[in-house]
Amino acid sequence: MKFLLLPLTVLILLVTPFSAYAKTFNAQSTTLENGLRLIVIPNSRAPVVTHMIWYKVGAADEPPTKSGMAHYFEHLMFKGTETLSPGEFSRIVKGLGGNDNAFTGQDYTAYYQNIAKQHLEKMMSMEADRMINLKISEEDFISEKNVVTEERRQRTDNKPKSLFMEQMRDALFTNHPYGTPVIGWMNEIESYNWEAVKGFYDTWYAPNNAVVIISGDVTMEDVKPMAMRTYGALEPKDLPQRKRGKIPPAISETKITLFDETIKQPSYQSLRLAPSSHQSKQESLALQILNEILSGGPTTRLYKNLVVDNKRATSVNFSYQSSALDHGKIFVSAIPHEGISLDEIENDIQNEFNHVIKNGVTETEVKEAIQRLQDSAIFARDSVSGPANIIGFNLLTGSTLNDIENWPTDIATVTPAQVQDVAKKYLNAEAPYIKPPVKGYLFPTNTKEASKTDKKGAIQ
Amino acid sequence: MRIFFPILCVLLLISAPTKASEELLDIKKVTSPSGINAWLVEDHKLPIISIQFSFKGAGSVNLTEDKQGLSQLLSNTLDEGAGEYSSQEFQKKLSDKSISLSFNSGRDNFGGTLKFLAREKKSAVELLNLALNEPRFDKEPVQRMVDANINRIKSSQGNPNWINARLYNDRAYEGHPYAFNSGGTIISLQNITPQDLKDFKNSHLTKDRLVIGASGDITAEDLGVLIDTIFGSLPDTTPPSKIKQLTLQNLGKTYVYKRDIPQSIITIGLDSIDELHPDYYTLQILNHIFGASGFGSRLMSEAREKRGLTYGIYSSTTNNEYLDALTISTSTQNETVAEMLQIIKDEMKKIKTDDLTQDIKKAKDYIIGSLPLSFTNNDSIASILLSLQLRNRDINYLNQYHEKIMTVSAEDVSRLAEELLTPEKMITIITGTPKNLENTLLITEVPNVE
């Protein structure tokens, strides 16, 4: 909208699977003849539905020099069809008492409406319409480009820390599209032309490349006939393969430093590769438990040891992002306590990792982590839109519906030995996985002189 | 940032009415054995209970300049050790039982939320009871929370939206306690002692101010018992406060805080009416049409959809205990700030003279039709129940609201627009490097941060 929800930093912080998964949504699933997948999650709490359509295309599928186009295209989807004028889609939804929006990630683009259930079929028919009948005027094409450049300024260019994170991701994902920001690079956003954008739409927007998820006060019995009347009429297309580059192994460490006058305290961060759930399910489950044991709350290892007991940091965070078609990743950040340097806090954190690598974790820690994660799955059911998002997000990053439904059982199979193994494999400073982590150091400008003697000035 | 969006959300929630004929939300009034009231929506589909409570009038507005941030710090430390439990023991217990307990401090009110699985009711009640009645405020966790707040402030200084919100509060509320930084300053936070926290808690978290909303897997009878266990031994009353009403200050002025960023952040304030005013319902419609509804609002259509000047522009109403205001917030690249301000003024003019019949119909359809969207989970329902009570609404308010909204006429909206949307009486705050602006006042430092 609309929103480019989930620039990756936010994704890491907010959409980690731990708080989001659920035990069982009792979702019902079917596939229409034209290849469109339909999923229904019955929930009778209120007479409303969330209707979402997820396309299996995202920023990572953009052609070279067209960064941000998947997201820009998502904006254009609100700009009218053969039968709807620009903005009319959202105005109709509002007029029926609903809300709508959309978001784009590296692996998916999704559109949704929350609305009273009697309007569901209308929503489906409008989504089916804009899947094939989009019609954009030259004027809207240009004005929306300005909206997106303003969006980029608001999200990224106005905030040095956001620019910094963008650079860190770029440095990590060598030869892979996850290094390119979902919103795109400014100079490429400015250069889009309609032919390329239209080509993107014609290539990827098709019923056999979409998953429709409906959560709320309906059942598959209610919904399937509606889906057949609306989406069912659309022709499938031949879809290209989704081709992404491979990250080559690297031997040298990448360190990025920024001095900025709006930064008021030094901070440390690192970003490293890890397998996604799609790449290695059981390892991913073990990494989720490791994440919980290291950083699942104020009484878990990193916070307890570094912030509470030893006063080395005033904040510390470790988060593993498991959901991605290709690589997952681990983001670590810390603000050192007064008198502690970034080098020192970096070492402290690595020492915590080394402790797990050498000594493992306890039975009790694993048991407690499993319990907390299983409970979080119960809480996740207390929502209409939440389960639709969780299922969409995970399906579109390569999990199966069974993986999602059985997550609380699967997570309970993780053993302390598996946790130690993934720590050895993915947090080992001596033998990094694929390539050494990218490390970032943020400093207030006025510390620049002082840090010249410091060894971490190297720009990547 | 903080001041705008949460308020907008709350308004969307509580401004949603219902059709009188439909019983969408079955609200029960519960009175505990000792006489404490709560509103409850009982629902046993999931084994989850969500309770939200607030001490009305116990917010940061009570604080003096040198103790800014005290109520914020209280909200951070009540759950950092209580009774027999040290900070780590207390947090471990919450975490082992998957109990979410948190406190929040607003300008007007001090509140909390408790959410738990039915099987952990006993522990949840015990922990909240201890937090409210026997908090320890041990030196280590208090210092740790001061440090965390200082982190937050320093980190926010890199966010121009936060800077602009801070400046808006400082200038628009000048001379009133609302102008202080409710999150504290780097210095004031370090001046707060455990004794200050105890004193504030004892004098402000009292039963006469308590409001409770609950939703989920609990019966009225059980809720009554639970409430007495948790809140029954709090002090009865608070002495009346002497805080004065406020209208927006520095109207007619445009302030600029220079920052080397490509996009300017803009916040505009206008005086408005309170919630008991007969035009309150008209205001909901006017605000919706003007800028609150996002896509399709007049501001969004003109500034974003037609001209591509911004990613977003919103108006919202603020109804605080001592202040009522209408705010407009947006951002645009430095080169187009002057054009943006002109558009906002032009839209104010247009809405007064245009025929609004269609807009009003759509606004009513949305406001009425979107009601059930807020009734989809326990947190949201508990929060609505709390809001209604904090605003002294009747338990049937949602039903009556529908009729009140329906009676608003085009004349009402035009008349109220004439009264409130006054370009010559706006306070405008801009952070960035706006181009081509005249008659601006330069702000050189952001007060109440360091």
Side-chain angles (χ1 to χ4, degrees):
Chain A
M1 357 167 276
K2 286 199 121 184
F3 303 141
L4 153 93
L5 181 90
L6 321 177
L8 284 182
T9 39
V10 175
L11 223 162
I12 293 173
L13 297 172
L14 299 179
V15 196
T16 50
F18 318 114
S19 57
Y21 275 74
K23 184 176 284 179
T24 169
F25 297 111
N26 296 315
Q28 304 161 311
S29 170
T30 190
T31 303
L32 303 189
E33 270 178 29
N34 61 10
L36 180 130
R37 175 125 191 233
L38 177 65
I39 291 172
V40 177
I41 312 156
N43 176 340
S44 60
R45 183 79 196 249
V48 302
V49 289
T50 291
H51 170 235
M52 307 192 86
I53 184 163
W54 295 71
Y55 290 98
K56 295 176 194 171
V57 62
D61 303 300
E62 290 156 352
T65 76
K66 301 286 185 277
S67 64
M69 207 168 71
H71 165 252
Y72 175 59
F73 183 76
E74 171 228 301
H75 279 237
L76 293 181
M77 283 283 273
F78 295 85
K79 288 296 189 178
T81 67
E82 302 284 345
T83 50
L84 290 181
S85 62
E88 197 177 349
F89 190 105
S90 298
R91 286 196 295 272
I92 292 174
V93 174
K94 276 228 171 64
L96 299 172
N99 297 314
D100 72 325
N101 214 324
F103 51 87
T104 305
Q106 292 287 3
D107 297 320
Y108 52 80
T109 311
Y111 304 80
Y112 68 89
Q113 302 87 36
N114 302 313
I115 200 157
K117 66 174 181 177
Q118 64 269 29
H119 304 304
L120 175 59
E121 185 162 356
K122 173 82 179 162
M123 298 302 106
M124 296 169 98
S125 104
M126 282 171 35
E127 278 297 0
D129 175 43
R130 69 177 169 180
M131 193 192 300
I132 56 165
N133 294 322
L134 202 65
K135 193 180 166 195
I136 308 297
S137 74
E138 179 72 22
E139 206 179 29
D140 283 323
F141 185 82
I142 291 164
S143 86
E144 201 59 24
K145 211 189 271 186
N146 294 331
V147 170
V148 174
T149 58
E150 288 293 354
E151 181 178 354
R152 193 191 144 88
R153 286 183 195 102
Q154 181 176 326
R155 287 179 185 283
T156 310
D157 300 328
N158 253 16
K159 297 168 189 159
K161 273 185 226 166
S162 305
L163 282 165
F164 189 76
M165 272 312 297
E166 194 173 76
Q167 260 187 279
M168 285 193 58
R169 284 192 298 270
D170 182 41
L172 183 69
F173 288 100
T174 310
N175 192 42
H176 189 281
Y178 287 179
T180 303
V182 171
I183 195 158
W185 304 113
M186 190 64 106
N187 58 352
E188 294 192 352
I189 298 173
E190 284 162 350
S191 75
Y192 299 147
N193 57 57
W194 172 239
E195 290 69 41
V197 174
K198 178 77 165 48
F200 187 80
Y201 177 54
D202 291 340
T203 305
W204 297 105
Y205 279 68
N208 49 327
N209 204 35
V211 181
V212 169
I213 304 178
I214 295 155
S215 173
D217 193 12
V218 290
T219 63
M220 182 60 90
E221 217 177 9
D222 305 325
V223 166
K224 196 175 174 190
M226 298 182 202
M228 286 168 67
R229 284 194 291 269
T230 52
Y231 295 115
L234 306 173
E235 288 295 322
K237 286 177 186 168
D238 287 334
L239 296 164
Q241 256 197 319
R242 301 173 82 178
K243 288 185 193 151
R244 281 108 184 252
K246 274 215 162 39
I247 299 175
I251 53 167
S252 52
E253 219 171 42
T254 308
K255 293 190 170 189
I256 303 179
T257 305
L258 175 67
F259 292 89
D260 188 277
E261 63 179 356
T262 68
I263 290 167
K264 301 295 179 187
Q265 59 196 347
S267 67
Y268 164 76
Q269 36 241 296
S270 73
L271 196 60
R272 72 191 73 210
L273 297 170
S276 65
S277 179
H278 184 224
Q279 288 176 325
S280 178
K281 182 174 160 182
Q282 195 62 30
E283 281 190 314
S284 174
L285 291 167
L287 279 163
Q288 292 169 41
I289 295 290
L290 175 62
N291 190 138
E292 189 65 25
I293 288 170
L294 286 175
S295 194
T299 61
T300 56
R301 289 190 181 206
L302 290 178
Y303 188 86
K304 182 177 190 321
N305 295 343
L306 301 181
V307 180
V308 180
D309 290 347
N310 294 311
K311 302 296 168 205
R312 303 290 287 177
T314 53
S315 96
V316 61
N317 176 56
F318 175 104
S319 66
Y320 159 60
Q321 188 209 333
S322 66
S323 298
L325 272 183
D326 297 339
H327 298 279
K329 58 187 180 297
I330 293 170
F331 178 66
V332 177
S333 64
I335 297 171
H337 201 273
E338 211 172 291
I340 307 294
S341 72
L342 294 191
D343 280 351
E344 287 172 304
I345 194 63
E346 182 183 337
N347 282 333
D348 289 338
I349 293 170
Q350 187 59 49
N351 287 340
E352 291 293 332
F353 296 167
N354 291 344
H355 195 267
V356 178
I357 290 168
K358 195 168 158 220
N359 309 309
V361 294
T362 66
E363 249 342 306
T364 313
E365 280 176 304
V366 173
K367 218 178 114 201
E368 288 171 352
I370 290 170
Q371 182 68 54
R372 285 198 297 270
L373 294 176
Q374 290 183 327
D375 287 345
S376 77
I378 305 176
F379 287 111
R381 290 160 62 190
D382 188 12
S383 166
V384 169
S385 60
N389 275 288
I390 291 164
I391 289 181
F393 182 53
N394 288 288
L395 275 184
L396 275 276
T397 50
S399 293
T400 66
L401 192 54
N402 273 337
D403 291 337
I404 301 165
E405 293 281 20
N406 297 333
W407 178 79
T409 325
D410 292 344
I411 198 83
T413 64
V414 173
T415 64
Q418 288 173 351
V419 174
Q420 187 175 9
D421 283 347
V422 291
K424 274 182 195 163
K425 208 162 155 188
Y426 303 111
L427 299 179
N428 190 344
E430 309 304 320
Y433 168 64
I434 302 181
K435 64 189 288 190
V438 173
K439 293 176 179 173
Y441 308 88
L442 288 163
F443 293 101
T445 307
N446 58 15
T447 59
K448 194 161 189 172
E449 286 308 307
S451 75
K452 274 192 175 156
T453 51
D454 211 321
K455 65 179 184 295
K456 70 175 75 67
I459 309 287
Q460 69 163 122
Chain B
M1 250 341 237
R2 251 189 107 210
I3 61 164
F4 301 109
F5 298 109
I7 288 169
L8 182 68
C9 295
V10 171
L11 281 171
L12 286 174
L13 290 179
I14 58 136
S15 64
T18 182
K19 290 179 187 166
S21 56
E22 289 174 22
E23 185 78 348
L24 283 170
L25 207 53
D26 180 14
I27 307 174
K28 284 189 200 120
K29 187 172 170 183
V30 176
T31 304
S32 76
S34 84
I36 300 172
N37 290 325
W39 288 7
L40 166 68
V41 170
E42 198 175 329
D43 187 295
H44 302 281
K45 289 189 190 75
L46 291 169
I48 293 171
I49 295 119
S50 176
I51 295 174
Q52 303 206 5
F53 55 92
S54 193
F55 296 92
K56 196 176 177 180
S60 63
V61 68
N62 299 291
L63 300 170
T64 52
E65 187 167 8
D66 61 326
K67 297 291 180 187
Q68 291 176 76
L70 170 52
S71 57
Q72 161 87 22
L73 192 62
L74 180 65
S75 75
N76 302 136
T77 50
L78 279 175
D79 60 354
E80 287 291 338
E84 299 283 292
Y85 303 123
S86 70
S87 158
Q88 281 284 297
E89 287 162 350
F90 192 94
Q91 288 293 330
K92 182 84 169 63
K93 220 160 170 202
L94 287 175
S95 157
D96 285 349
K97 309 276 182 185
S98 295
I99 297 165
S100 306
L101 169 62
S102 67
F103 296 91
N104 54 74
S105 163
R107 281 211 170 70
D108 291 329
N109 311 317
F110 185 94
T113 69
L114 178 68
K115 186 179 180 184
F116 54 95
L117 297 170
R119 67 161 202 257
E120 304 296 355
K121 189 170 85 178
K122 195 167 160 236
S123 300
V125 170
E126 184 205 4
L127 292 170
L128 175 53
N129 173 23
L130 286 174
L132 280 173
N133 294 292
E134 298 174 50
R136 289 163 50 142
F137 304 122
D138 291 337
K139 202 174 154 215
E140 188 279 329
V142 169
Q143 184 58 48
R144 184 153 43 83
M145 291 301 131
V146 167
D147 291 345
N149 275 292
I150 292 173
N151 271 359
R152 175 185 52 77
I153 294 169
K154 287 183 172 174
S155 171
S156 302
Q157 286 176 280
N159 180 351
N161 300 73
W162 185 86
I163 300 277
N164 210 55
R166 176 84 283 282
L167 291 170
Y168 177 83
N169 295 345
D170 186 76
R171 292 303 199 268
Y173 307 154
E174 195 171 336
H176 191 274
Y178 280 164
F180 298 144
N181 189 343
S182 57
T185 73
I186 291 173
I187 288 173
S188 76
L189 283 163
Q190 298 178 75
N191 287 336
I192 296 168
T193 64
Q195 192 58 47
D196 290 333
L197 294 165
K198 268 181 207 141
D199 292 346
F200 188 91
K201 185 201 95 62
N202 290 334
S203 56
H204 291 87
L205 307 195
T206 54
K207 277 191 275 188
D208 58 332
R209 297 179 149 189
L210 180 60
V211 174
I212 304 166
S215 174
D217 190 13
I218 190 163
T219 63
E221 195 183 339
D222 286 354
L223 181 64
V225 173
L226 176 151
I227 287 171
D228 274 352
T229 315
I230 294 172
F231 303 103
S233 11
L234 289 172
D236 287 328
T237 56
T238 309
S241 88
K242 293 172 190 158
I243 298 155
K244 291 199 180 87
Q245 283 293 328
L246 166 73
T247 56
L248 289 180
Q249 304 297 295
N250 295 307
L251 294 177
K253 296 179 187 167
T254 299
Y255 295 93
V256 174
Y257 177 72
K258 285 259 163 75
R259 191 158 179 146
D260 185 18
I261 44 178
Q263 186 186 62
S264 291
I265 315 298
I266 304 170
T267 305
I268 292 171
L270 294 150
D271 272 323
S272 182
I273 56 172
D274 69 44
E275 290 171 293
L276 299 176
H277 194 285
D279 280 333
Y280 179 72
Y281 307 93
T282 307
L283 176 63
Q284 303 309 307
I285 303 262
L286 172 63
N287 184 37
H288 181 92
I289 297 171
F290 186 59
S293 52
F295 283 82
S297 80
R298 291 181 156 234
L299 289 174
M300 192 75 106
S301 296
E302 194 60 35
R304 174 172 163 163
E305 295 176 64
K306 282 190 200 148
R307 306 198 197 203
L309 288 177
T310 182
Y311 180 52
I313 179 164
Y314 299 92
S315 69
S316 62
T317 55
T318 302
N319 294 108
N320 279 340
E321 190 64 35
Y322 305 102
L323 171 92
D324 302 288
L326 184 71
T327 53
I328 300 161
S329 52
T330 187
S331 58
T332 189
Q333 59 177 319
N334 294 321
E335 289 71 18
T336 48
V337 171
E339 185 182 352
M340 177 63 93
L341 293 180
Q342 192 56 50
I343 287 171
I344 293 170
K345 288 175 188 165
D346 290 348
E347 286 306 307
M348 288 184 177
K349 269 183 215 150
K350 273 197 245 164
I351 201 169
K352 293 172 190 167
T353 50
D354 283 1
D355 176 9
L356 299 176
T357 317
Q358 278 309 309
D359 302 66
I360 289 170
K361 186 187 172 302
K362 283 184 200 155
K364 288 177 178 173
D365 284 348
Y366 175 79
I367 291 174
I368 287 157
S370 63
L371 173 73
L373 298 182
S374 311
F375 301 158
T376 52
N377 63 76
N378 287 309
D379 286 346
S380 166
I381 292 171
S383 153
I384 289 168
L385 301 185
L386 185 71
S387 272
L388 290 172
Q389 295 174 86
L390 282 172
R391 286 150 195 268
N392 295 320
R393 299 302 188 187
D394 184 84
I395 200 160
N396 293 313
Y397 177 76
L398 293 174
N399 301 325
Q400 300 154 358
Y401 191 84
H402 168 81
E403 286 164 41
K404 307 251 187 195
I405 283 287
M406 289 313 288
T407 58
V408 172
S409 71
E411 292 73 39
D412 293 336
V413 178
S414 304
R415 177 177 46 76
L416 191 65
E418 193 68 50
E419 198 179 310
L420 300 183
L421 302 180
T422 47
E424 68 288 357
K425 283 192 268 179
M426 314 192 300
I427 171 169
T428 306
I429 309 278
I430 303 171
T431 294
T433 318
K435 301 279 159 44
N436 310 318
L437 278 192
E438 285 168 6
N439 300 322
T440 59
L441 299 162
L442 217 57
I443 300 180
T444 52
E445 69 178 283
V446 191
N448 287 323
V449 174
E450 300 285 348

